[in-house]
Amino acid sequence: MRVGLIVDSACDLPYEFRREHDLFVLPVTARIDQQTYIDEHDPVRTQEFYQSGLLQKGHHAETEAFSASQIHDLFMEKIVTEFDVAICETVTRSRSLIFDHATQAMNTVMANYRSVRSAAGVPGNFSMRVVDSKQIFAGQGLLAAHTLTLIAKKLSKNALRNEIERFTGNIYTCVIPRDLHYIRERARRRGDNSVSALVAFLGKALNITPVIFGQGSEGQPVAKTRSFDVAVEKVMNYAIGRIQAGLLTPYVSLSCGMSWTEIEELPGLNRLRDACEQHGVELLLSQMGITSSIYVGPGSLCLALGAEPHHFRDFQ
């Protein structure tokens, strides 16, 4: 049984990791200053966007999910003849229409795949499952990496689905936004009022950088710092402490909306690498994709790991 994993372009993972494991990336449409781009999480295109400055707040940028029809066509062309079972993990449905559109596409694919497989000379049935990851960015990447370990165990289709959905509740995510004004403006355009004007103003006026922490995409501020570097140190300390206490999957996912030179200069990164090496954990370090950067803002950071229930303050 050939099992394939599909993620969308909001999922942050190292390019080499995605290529090694043959992950299929469901694209997202990005519109910047009335120009349309297809974000397939290509590392070269992503680097060009960072260098061009198109992701800065002076530009009008937004993302849009592929339509159900577009996703249907991709699944029929790229997926149904390559795999017998396909798992599609999407960014949290509370922040995007990708889950809804992918689910609609799955239903039409399941009704029409047989003729495509027959024409390609592929025997047997095909099945799909669309999963709401309940995650964003690095959290999606962590779920994808864990899912690959489950696929390697050759679980039944139902057992695989149940294990994936259970694990989503064990993912903890830290986000450090570089610019609260950016987040507020992007949220306002989406009709999301979760970031207040007052918080945005204080963040700018007092140079406050928050650490947002929680399960999946439902995070709350757990620290307010006077600089981005101090916030990064807190997140690194948290991750190292949690690694030492034990994880539920041997991965830590870290994505950063900045150049690789800036990433390598992050305070505490080498300490995190050392902790991962000492405890047999793989650090999935990636440059935040175009979709992620448009959502949370360039210069931001997102870290995710899988663990038993705990609080951020337990590891400070």
Side-chain angles (χ1 to χ4, degrees):
M1 182 173 68
R2 301 170 302 165
V3 182
L5 180 58
I6 304 164
V7 297
D8 60 51
S9 62
C11 175
D12 287 333
L13 275 170
Y15 172 71
E16 290 299 330
F17 185 90
R18 287 189 285 114
R19 189 173 69 171
E20 176 186 351
H21 295 282
D22 196 26
L23 298 188
F24 181 82
V25 178
L26 186 62
V28 170
T29 299
R31 291 192 172 88
I32 304 175
D33 293 342
Q34 300 181 336
Q35 294 292 316
T36 299
Y37 305 89
I38 302 302
D39 179 18
E40 297 177 302
H41 221 303
D42 175 78
V44 175
R45 172 57 65 88
T46 300
Q47 184 64 25
E48 289 174 352
F49 268 70
Y50 280 109
Q51 292 173 344
S52 69
L54 283 173
L55 297 176
Q56 298 300 322
K57 65 182 179 181
H59 299 273
H60 180 90
E62 59 186 6
T63 59
E64 181 180 317
F66 265 34
S67 68
S69 176
Q70 288 174 303
I71 297 174
H72 166 94
D73 291 346
L74 283 172
F75 285 169
M76 293 291 273
E77 179 184 354
K78 304 288 188 180
I79 301 299
V80 300
T81 59
E82 293 298 318
F83 305 104
D84 303 311
V85 177
I87 304 293
C88 178
E89 295 175 350
T90 73
V91 65
T92 177
R93 66 184 304 185
S94 65
R95 298 288 189 268
S96 172
L97 291 173
I98 297 175
F99 173 84
D100 292 337
H101 291 183
T103 300
Q104 294 171 36
M106 175 191 68
N107 292 335
T108 58
V109 165
M110 292 304 297
N112 296 282
Y113 76 82
R114 288 177 179 82
S115 61
V116 175
R117 281 173 73 93
S118 177
V122 180
N125 294 326
F126 172 79
S127 65
M128 281 195 77
R129 180 73 179 187
V130 179
V131 178
D132 174 10
S133 74
K134 300 181 176 65
Q135 312 300 319
I136 54 173
F137 320 144
Q140 283 180 266
L142 184 78
L143 179 62
H146 183 69
T147 298
L148 290 169
T149 67
L150 296 175
I151 291 173
K153 293 179 179 180
K154 301 187 183 302
L155 302 176
S156 69
K157 290 185 291 186
N158 287 337
L160 177 61
R161 180 196 68 200
N162 291 335
E163 284 297 308
I164 292 170
E165 293 182 342
R166 182 189 61 80
F167 186 71
T168 61
N170 294 117
I171 298 177
Y172 290 82
T173 302
C174 299
V175 176
I176 307 175
R178 178 75 78 166
D179 188 335
L180 289 174
H181 276 281
Y182 182 102
I183 292 181
R184 175 177 173 264
E185 179 61 19
R186 292 292 182 267
R188 184 187 64 79
R189 291 176 182 171
R190 295 192 305 269
D192 180 355
N193 297 315
S194 60
V195 182
S196 71
L198 178 61
V199 170
F201 172 76
L202 290 176
K204 185 70 172 181
L206 302 180
N207 195 31
I208 290 174
T209 300
V211 175
I212 300 169
F213 171 79
Q215 289 174 281
S217 62
E218 304 304 318
Q220 298 293 328
V222 291
K224 293 191 297 183
T225 68
R226 291 301 181 94
S227 78
F228 183 79
D229 283 355
V230 172
V232 172
E233 286 276 14
K234 286 183 175 292
V235 168
M236 296 297 182
N237 291 339
Y238 157 76
I240 292 167
R242 188 61 256 189
I243 290 167
Q244 293 168 343
L247 301 177
L248 295 178
T249 194
Y251 300 101
V252 169
S253 180
L254 175 61
S255 65
C256 310
M258 54 193 76
S259 70
W260 280 107
T261 299
E262 293 170 314
I263 291 172
E264 289 298 331
E265 293 174 350
L266 287 171
L269 177 59
N270 287 331
R271 290 193 297 112
L272 176 60
R273 283 182 168 133
D274 290 343
C276 286
E277 183 176 355
Q278 291 167 10
H279 291 83
V281 173
E282 183 174 355
L283 178 61
L284 301 173
L285 178 61
S286 64
Q287 192 173 49
M288 195 173 279
I290 296 169
T291 298
S292 312
S293 285
I294 288 176
Y295 188 93
V296 75
S300 300
L301 178 148
C302 184
L303 180 142
L305 50 78
E308 298 289 354
H310 63 279
H311 297 286
F312 184 83
R313 62 177 179 270
D314 296 338
F315 300 96
Q316 293 299 303

